[in-house]
Amino acid sequence: MSSALPNSFRSGPDERGHFGMFGGRFVAETLMPLILDLEKAYAEAKADPAFQREMNGYLKDYVGRPSPLYFAERLTEHLGGAKIYLKREELNHTGSHKVNNVLGQIMVARRIGKKRIIAETGAGQHGVATATLCARFGLDCVVYMGAVDVARQEPNVIRMEMLGAKVVPVQSGTRTLKDAMNEALRDWVTNVHDTFYCIGTVAGPHPYPMMVRDFQSIIGVETRAQMMEAEGRLPDSLIACIGGGSNAMGLFHPFLDDAGIEIFGVEAAGHGLDKLHAASLTGGRPGVLHGNRTYLLMDEDGQIQDAHSISAGLDYPGIGPEHSWLHETGRVKYISATDEEALAAFQLLSRLEGIIPALESAHAIARVIDLAPARASDHLMVVNLSGRGDKDVPQVGDILKGRKK
Amino acid sequence: MTTRIDTRFAELQKQGRSAFVTFLMAGDPDPATSLAIIKALPQAGSDVIEIGMPFTDPMADGPAIQAAGLRALKAGMTLKKTLDLVRAFRKDDDTTPIVLMGYYNPIYIYGVARFLVDAKQAGVDGLIIVDLPPEEDDELCIPAMQAGLNFIRLATPTTDDKRLPAVLANTSGFVYYVSITGITGAAAANATQVTDAVARIKRHTQLPVCVGFGIRTPDTARDIARVANGAVVGTALVDALAKSLDADGKATGKTVAAVADLTAALAQGVRGAVQAAE
């Protein structure tokens, strides 16, 4: 599994969309011309200063960027160790980091004249962000969501519908995020002529993993500048939760070549790594699904296995291909947190900082609880608070109420 | 190298008729019934047999074929057992071409080199892998050609003239034209558009062109067979199989006959077509 270490960890992917052996373009022929067109359109947009200018305008005035880098004083005191900063992506319009990527993709979609946008969603955060920007730009929006997730993330379903999107509950397979993605791909293959597929994470066929990473990298770019301003130097460690891995990639990517910085990705360990979980890197192996080669949870016949996480946004049996590569090169350390640990962290952050995190982000907080105390008080640790927990309040409330009885 | 596919299309051309290509899922609804169905196909009029390799996440398939794959997986089907099925079929039939169709991951996990040896030995003639476009030819297409298996590529309405040469470059056996943009079993094929598309593909290749997706009835099969070298039917056969099952999704005494009867009716449609002059 060893790969020769590259000169830079930030130069991928190659022209065929590969990060080492990961990535690629494993799609049906019907879609191939579309993703080639998208690759071209994105390259042109990226090189166009007017595109960048327009996007920066929306990022500032519509999304509300830059998001603050906040010193979590009481959490730091409570844990007793590293100085903990929260990158407040939960304060973005729509309540998570997802909007950064959706804004970029919607602007590319408008450039190429697509009027109908489809998306998959797990927790509903990507669906809400997509529905929001479709409302803003007057585009048709269809969001595929596993029927299980529709039930457990009801507040977001209501939000999407309020914003004018059509939410389609997906009944096939395990009825979670992976099946929502299958269904979105089936829609796309059927409606190729007018439809743009707005993928919510750093996965799928090239150029999506690269494009989504680029749009999310604003998280890390801002963090660098903000930490320089706050502390006069770069952070010592970064930590973020990982489902597909877009919030993590957004924070990590601008720091990958700063060799001294420790980087941690936290996968969802569900009921435990020896039971049902969603930790693709820790518990899976390389395979091909949803357009890319990456680590997947599967059986010995190559059939994809059910993932499980308390958090719908992490409940996916795969991970973005660039994370698979960063895992194999050893640049990023991938660890995990269980449902129980995430629940505890969810409550801890709510009580100590007055910030209710998304259950997804609570997985990152859960590992901060043991990483921070093991580090010196001058160690600067940045946690990506990728989303807010409003959507999880009913679900967590029910779980906690059930326990009191 | 000549495969059973090449031989079969050459024979059919001599006879002046198009091929009837059938698709069913390996192991649907259970391995034993599946073998009985596949054994019945040549006699019922199937000229080329496509066998689906079950996969949990069939992204290009509609509800009928998704359900077929899940039935097969539930009955314990694996890629290894799919090869066993082909081997068992080959005991009595050494001429009907067999094409395995599906998604890449099970093959990737089986191991490409080992799979190609085992597939060839089992009597497989060709592969159709939905999620391997020409951009990923190094993965399986080129090794398959070297192993003496045909790699049959899908061409679609979005494959324009500029892209066709790349799609056809490493294709052998036949070209599978997907007559609609969409998933299996969805819309109906439009014969006029198909005629134009087949003519367009034929300007770029000498290979036979078979047309699939959206063919459900003997009439449509005949219309398509008039303009193409073969008509592929999958969902309609899978639907007939599904309808014959009991409430628990298990095979009944009618299951094999249900598929064989529809195969015979569709084959008559195809054989009723007078092929357009080449």
Side-chain angles (χ1 to χ4, degrees):
Chain A
M1 289 291 201
S2 75
S3 321
L5 285 192
N7 293 325
S8 167
F9 288 97
R10 304 184 63 223
S11 57
D14 67 17
E15 72 286 354
R16 294 169 64 201
H18 293 133
F19 303 92
M21 68 176 280
F22 300 102
R25 291 177 286 211
F26 296 89
V27 296
E29 172 59 25
T30 313
L31 296 179
M32 203 55 224
L34 277 87
I35 65 170
L36 291 173
D37 288 349
L38 174 61
E39 189 182 343
K40 194 162 154 269
Y42 173 58
E44 285 166 8
K46 204 173 165 180
D48 179 357
F51 178 85
Q52 208 57 53
R53 233 183 353 260
E54 193 186 356
M55 195 154 98
N56 289 342
Y58 288 117
L59 283 170
K60 177 170 171 286
D61 299 327
Y62 191 73
V63 175
R65 302 204 71 91
S67 69
L69 182 70
Y70 163 73
F71 171 46
E73 193 175 357
R74 292 197 69 214
L75 183 65
T76 299
E77 270 172 24
H78 176 80
L79 296 175
K83 200 169 174 186
I84 302 161
Y85 280 85
L86 304 179
K87 178 61 174 164
R88 302 284 308 270
E89 288 298 301
E90 101 283 10
L91 292 177
N92 294 336
H93 182 40
T94 75
S96 80
H97 69 290
K98 292 292 188 187
V99 70
N100 305 328
N101 162 49
V102 174
L103 173 67
Q105 287 198 49
I106 294 292
M107 289 186 51
V108 173
R110 293 176 76 218
R111 262 178 98 92
I112 56 180
K114 301 280 174 158
K115 303 265 189 258
R116 180 176 178 268
I117 309 295
I118 58 170
E120 83 295 335
T121 199
Q125 295 299 87
H126 175 59
V128 165
T130 307
T132 298
L133 284 156
C134 286
R136 169 61 186 80
F137 291 107
L139 302 165
D140 286 341
C141 180
V142 178
V143 179
Y144 290 93
M145 188 169 186
V148 169
D149 295 337
V150 167
R152 64 177 161 173
Q153 303 274 265
E154 201 194 355
N156 272 345
V157 176
I158 297 168
R159 283 170 82 194
M160 285 183 271
E161 287 174 344
M162 219 163 261
L163 291 159
K166 185 177 165 207
V167 180
V168 181
V170 176
Q171 302 288 354
S172 61
T174 56
R175 298 180 293 150
T176 57
L177 183 52
K178 93 174 162 74
D179 308 288
M181 197 152 181
N182 288 334
E183 216 53 45
L185 284 163
R186 289 179 188 127
D187 179 314
W188 200 25
V189 102
T190 307
N191 300 296
V192 283
H193 297 293
D194 65 344
T195 298
F196 185 96
Y197 183 14
C198 182
I199 295 185
T201 192
V202 285
H206 178 64
Y208 282 99
M210 169 184 79
M211 179 172 69
V212 176
R213 174 200 72 198
D214 291 351
F215 291 140
Q216 290 294 0
S217 289
I218 190 163
I219 301 172
V221 169
E222 283 177 7
T223 300
R224 282 183 86 92
Q226 289 167 321
M227 192 56 103
M228 287 304 290
E229 197 182 315
E231 299 278 354
R233 66 184 182 89
L234 292 178
D236 299 298
S237 62
L238 308 171
I239 182 159
C241 68
I242 303 206
S246 71
N247 91 81
M249 192 57 71
L251 175 64
F252 299 169
H253 197 260
F255 292 100
L256 289 174
D257 285 338
D258 297 282
I261 299 180
E262 289 182 284
I263 306 181
F264 299 96
V266 184
E267 297 191 288
H271 296 314
L273 290 174
D274 54 345
K275 303 187 183 77
L276 271 182
H277 63 83
S280 321
L281 289 176
T282 317
R285 60 205 166 109
V288 175
L289 180 71
H290 291 157
N292 58 162
R293 179 176 6 242
T294 193
Y295 272 70
L296 299 169
L297 299 178
M298 58 189 153
D299 69 13
E300 65 284 356
D301 189 43
Q303 305 298 336
I304 307 304
Q305 285 177 320
D306 297 1
H308 165 78
S309 170
I310 189 171
S311 116
L314 305 183
D315 201 343
Y316 179 69
I319 187 167
E322 195 167 9
H323 283 294
S324 291
W325 179 72
L326 290 170
H327 169 65
E328 290 206 346
T329 54
R331 176 62 188 100
V332 176
K333 194 160 181 236
Y334 293 89
I335 53 185
S336 63
T338 63
D339 289 354
E340 281 303 320
E341 290 171 322
L343 262 178
F346 180 94
Q347 295 171 78
L348 185 75
L349 194 72
S350 300
R351 300 243 173 122
L352 284 179
E353 295 289 349
I355 297 171
I356 300 179
L359 275 173
E360 289 77 19
S361 322
H363 284 73
I365 304 291
R367 282 288 74 81
V368 170
I369 292 173
D370 42 52
L371 287 172
R375 281 160 179 77
S377 60
D378 62 348
H379 179 105
L380 303 176
M381 180 177 280
V382 176
V383 192
N384 202 9
L385 200 65
S386 56
R388 59 175 173 247
D390 306 35
K391 69 187 176 62
D392 300 312
V393 165
Q395 187 196 359
V396 173
D398 285 348
I399 293 170
L400 298 179
K401 225 183 293 168
R403 284 180 189 177
K404 270 187 204 149
K405 277 179 193 163
Chain B
M1 143 202 115
T2 306
T3 64
R4 293 181 191 90
I5 298 172
D6 303 323
T7 308
R8 176 59 46 99
F9 278 101
E11 285 165 10
L12 291 175
Q13 201 185 0
K14 263 190 227 156
Q15 295 170 27
R17 72 172 180 91
S18 295
F20 177 40
V21 184
T22 52
F23 171 94
L24 285 146
M25 185 64 73
D28 178 25
D30 62 76
T33 310
S34 179
L35 176 60
I37 290 170
I38 291 177
K39 279 183 166 179
L41 291 174
Q43 215 182 347
S46 170
D47 299 305
V48 177
I49 297 177
E50 287 178 11
I51 300 178
M53 297 175 279
F55 183 49
T56 39
D57 293 79
M59 292 155 318
D61 285 303
I65 293 176
Q66 289 174 40
L70 292 180
R71 281 193 298 270
L73 290 172
K74 208 173 149 198
M77 208 60 191
T78 60
L79 185 51
K80 185 176 168 298
K81 288 181 185 169
T82 299
L83 296 178
D84 291 343
L85 181 78
V86 175
R87 207 171 288 119
F89 172 87
R90 278 279 171 251
K91 279 184 189 158
D92 310 321
D93 186 324
D94 198 36
T95 53
T96 307
I98 290 202
V99 175
L100 294 185
M101 181 166 184
Y103 298 81
Y104 183 40
N105 197 53
I107 294 173
Y108 180 67
I109 295 306
Y110 192 100
V112 166
R114 185 164 77 95
F115 170 78
L116 291 173
V117 170
D118 292 357
K120 181 80 187 168
Q121 202 185 33
V124 173
D125 302 289
L127 302 172
I128 302 176
I129 308 300
V130 177
D131 53 354
L132 285 178
E135 281 73 6
E136 302 291 351
D137 268 358
D138 296 343
E139 295 282 337
L140 181 65
C141 173
I142 289 164
M145 285 165 65
Q146 287 163 351
L149 290 170
N150 289 136
F151 198 85
I152 294 144
R153 192 96 61 190
L154 304 172
T156 73
T158 58
T159 314
D160 59 16
D161 278 320
K162 203 173 79 201
R163 188 168 163 75
L164 257 177
V167 168
L168 296 170
N170 292 323
T171 303
S172 57
F174 62 93
V175 179
Y176 187 138
Y177 179 66
V178 174
S179 62
I180 53 164
T181 58
I183 52 179
T184 51
N190 171 323
T192 318
Q193 283 170 3
V194 168
T195 308
D196 295 347
V198 170
R200 187 164 68 85
I201 295 169
K202 287 211 170 269
R203 283 199 294 274
H204 292 267
T205 182
Q206 304 286 316
L207 288 169
V209 178
C210 296
V211 174
F213 283 44
I215 305 173
R216 299 192 63 92
T217 64
D219 284 350
T220 325
R222 188 184 52 236
D223 292 347
I224 296 294
R226 278 192 186 125
V227 299
N229 302 103
V232 189
V233 179
T235 298
L237 293 169
V238 169
D239 279 341
L241 184 157
K243 269 189 210 137
S244 76
L245 303 176
D246 69 15
D248 299 323
K250 300 274 186 280
T252 64
K254 293 182 220 154
T255 300
V256 177
V259 177
D261 290 351
L262 181 58
T263 301
L266 289 159
Q268 277 212 319
V270 172
R271 280 160 209 243
V274 180
Q275 213 172 350
E278 296 264 332

